[in-house]
Amino acid sequence: MTEQVIFRHDPDHQPQLTYRSVPSGCAGGANTLAEARASYRTCLSARLHVDRRALPPVVEHIEGLVRGMWVRTRIGAVHRDKSSDRMLLQILLAEQSGLRDEVVRLSEAGAEPVVVLAEPDHAIEGLLDQMSARDVLLVAHSDDNGSVGWSVLVGSESVIGHGVPHLQDDAVLRATPVATFTQTCAGVGQMVQCLAAADIAS
């Protein structure tokens, strides 16, 4: 399985960069991205008992605080609305889509929600593979009409998982485009629970 590593940047803490990975569970920190990458690969090499040249493929993500919300994106990705040519994050911060209210509600319920920027035509598999069992991810994408589509993915061990509708993680779900997934979730209250990649790996 491809490794997913999430680097979180928080300049108010030391170290400024922390990381955690799925499914290996490596975790650590450093003060620069280069140092954090090196630390992560050393950890992964030791955990898998392989030389660093034999490590599996790795997808990197970066998280940072944006107006009080943790926002995650794949490193190197550019999320832009086709109709307005505006950046997805710019649209998300400007509109009243309910997403920001949901971040507040989930936080007050004891979760640490993370807004994950995604492409509408990419498979939901990429989101499931970066989840841990305790994660609460708000999947956000451009609807290519100047607005934001979104839904909430809840890990099986999340503090808010009780009573949340459950979806079976199977090949059909994993191949579903992100935009189709969020439209489906709108019919069940925007929030669904899924097994995370770490659950499947174990």
Side-chain angles (χ1 to χ4, degrees), residues 110-180:
E112 188 181 69
V114 176
V115 178
V116 182
L117 305 184
E119 287 298 299
D121 57 347
H122 287 187
I124 198 70
E125 177 178 30
L127 283 300
L128 297 175
D129 285 348
Q130 60 186 272
M131 283 187 74
S132 76
R134 295 180 180 84
D135 278 345
V136 176
L137 304 183
L138 287 91
V139 181
H141 64 86
S142 166
D143 67 1
D144 290 333
N145 193 30
S147 189
V148 176
W150 63 276
S151 61
V152 184
L153 275 173
V154 178
S156 58
E157 296 178 15
S158 165
V159 297
I160 63 163
H162 181 70
V164 175
H166 181 80
L167 281 183
Q168 182 61 41
D169 187 346
D170 57 19
V172 174
L173 173 63
R174 295 177 74 81
T176 301
V178 168
T180 303

